[in-house]
Amino acid sequence: MRADRLVATLLLMQSRGRVTAAELAAELEVSVATARRDLEALSAAGVPVYPQPGRGGGWQLVGGARTDLSGLTAPEARALFLLAGSSTGGEPEVKSALRKLVRALPQTFRADAEAAADAVVIDPARWGQHDRTRPGVVTLLQRAVVERRRVRIDYERAGTRTSRLADPWGLIDKDAVWYLIAGTEQGKRTFRVDRVLAVQLTDETADRPADFDLATAWSEVVGEMERRRAAVAATVLISETLLPVLRDQQGRHCEVDGPAPDGRVRVRISAPDAAMVARQLAGWGADVEVLGPASVRAELAAIGAELVRRYAS
């Protein structure tokens, strides 16, 4: 689009100060005639862009060239491209934006920026697992958040489908699972986006509290969810060699209490209820010893009895 080219032209001139139509054409992959028309259009629109005739001339942005883009330093530009380059996900719009941004950077920054963009690849799939596909409605919800537009959401939870109006306040990507924080008639709500069946943008303006901070709101959601997931905690004795495995498996729900007198390690394993704690530990058999509470020991005994009835010869 021509508007994109005009913006790219201005950014390029801000970084270089003076360019020829031929240089601009090569950078933006257009003809020299098109580049010249764009420069003339900027000048006619009142942008202080003027041609400098003669040897070493070209088109110049009056007021001098900037040495960097929006005050970016070389380390900041490198950090930006390390982050943005690794998270493109193959999206053509992001890759196109990175290419344009590279063109706008000073020549001395370019090599590092281009190297940084290709330095990291993020593979979100664990070994033996498929990569999670981003829900198709994420793009539409992102647009609604940015444009401050109220949406109608068809949502399904526990087999029940509902339809409601919501003011989208922000989106969170947590380990490839997307969540929407929104305002509703019932107050602030959090929706799992993979349970959203359909989204319709309305022409109504979304209300967003002036003091709303997405990071703070999500921190509160995480805190509440972790409290629910840790409603029951079992005290367990395990071997020291098993500790890193349980830590990896249970994450923050595996807390080390310290060494036991017999050389094993005392840990606390938490979950929403006693049955869930027992299911998580039953597969380790005699490698773990649950000291309490009695509810978790009872659940383990029930699981063991079921296995004996089914598999004992």
Side-chain angles (χ1 to χ4, degrees):
M1 295 176 60
R2 192 185 190 197
D4 296 335
R5 289 202 318 271
L6 294 178
V7 171
T9 298
L10 273 177
L11 290 172
L12 189 65
M13 296 186 74
Q14 286 175 343
S15 66
R16 296 190 183 182
R18 180 182 299 173
V19 295
T20 66
E23 290 171 342
L24 184 61
E27 288 285 348
L28 302 185
E29 299 176 359
V30 297
S31 68
V32 174
T34 296
R36 187 175 291 111
R37 283 196 297 270
D38 287 346
L39 289 164
E40 291 170 349
L42 287 172
S43 180
V47 178
V49 174
Y50 297 98
Q52 302 292 323
R55 193 177 187 87
W59 289 77
Q60 184 170 353
L61 186 62
V62 174
R66 293 192 303 186
T67 57
D68 58 20
L69 176 66
S70 302
L72 284 178
T73 64
E76 289 171 342
R78 187 163 53 247
L80 173 64
F81 276 80
L82 277 170
L83 176 64
S86 63
S87 59
T88 60
E91 297 182 15
E93 294 87 355
V94 179
K95 290 186 175 181
S96 174
L98 287 178
R99 286 197 299 269
K100 292 176 181 178
L101 187 54
V102 167
R103 292 167 181 163
L105 289 172
Q107 190 66 38
T108 54
F109 290 10
R110 286 191 183 189
D112 279 355
E114 290 174 332
D118 296 328
V120 178
V121 170
I122 294 179
D123 182 358
R126 287 193 172 193
W127 295 111
Q129 295 183 0
H130 294 293
D131 190 7
R132 292 176 179 173
T133 303
R134 190 175 80 168
V137 296
V138 167
T139 301
L140 195 57
L141 288 171
Q142 287 174 331
R143 178 182 169 190
V145 171
V146 172
E147 297 180 0
R148 299 288 178 92
R149 292 174 63 178
R150 184 167 291 168
V151 295
R152 179 170 293 280
I153 295 176
D154 291 343
Y155 193 71
E156 185 173 37
R157 182 179 182 182
T160 302
R161 179 168 178 165
T162 60
S163 180
R164 68 189 81 185
L165 285 172
D167 296 329
W169 294 347
L171 286 158
I172 298 93
D173 175 3
K174 183 173 178 63
D175 193 24
V177 178
W178 286 79
Y179 297 85
L180 169 71
I181 295 182
T184 70
E185 291 182 350
Q186 293 76 38
K188 183 177 69 175
R189 291 292 184 270
T190 303
F191 302 93
R192 269 189 63 142
V193 176
D194 55 4
R195 294 174 183 165
V196 174
L197 305 177
V199 174
Q200 178 185 355
L201 271 68
T202 73
D203 293 329
E204 300 177 54
T205 301
D207 292 327
R208 175 170 168 157
D211 59 349
F212 176 77
D213 179 76
L214 181 59
T216 300
W218 179 245
S219 179
E220 294 171 353
V221 171
V222 171
E224 177 59 28
M225 287 299 298
E226 293 294 356
R227 283 191 291 274
R228 293 181 186 177
R229 295 179 65 185
V232 175
T235 300
V236 182
L237 294 178
I238 61 172
S239 66
E240 192 171 350
T241 56
L242 185 57
L243 179 58
V245 180
L246 274 183
R247 273 179 162 171
D248 180 66
Q249 182 188 76
Q250 302 295 328
R252 69 176 68 185
H253 299 292
C254 175
E255 299 180 10
V256 179
D257 281 347
D262 61 0
R264 289 183 291 177
V265 181
R266 184 190 298 263
V267 299
R268 288 169 57 85
I269 303 295
S270 55
D273 52 51
M276 184 64 71
V277 176
R279 292 189 191 106
Q280 292 173 350
L281 296 176
W284 295 105
D287 290 336
V288 302
E289 180 183 353
V290 176
L291 302 180
S295 58
V296 175
R297 291 172 61 90
E299 292 286 352
L300 281 167
I303 292 172
E306 289 179 6
L307 294 175
V308 169
R309 284 195 300 269
R310 173 159 294 186
Y311 297 108
S313 57

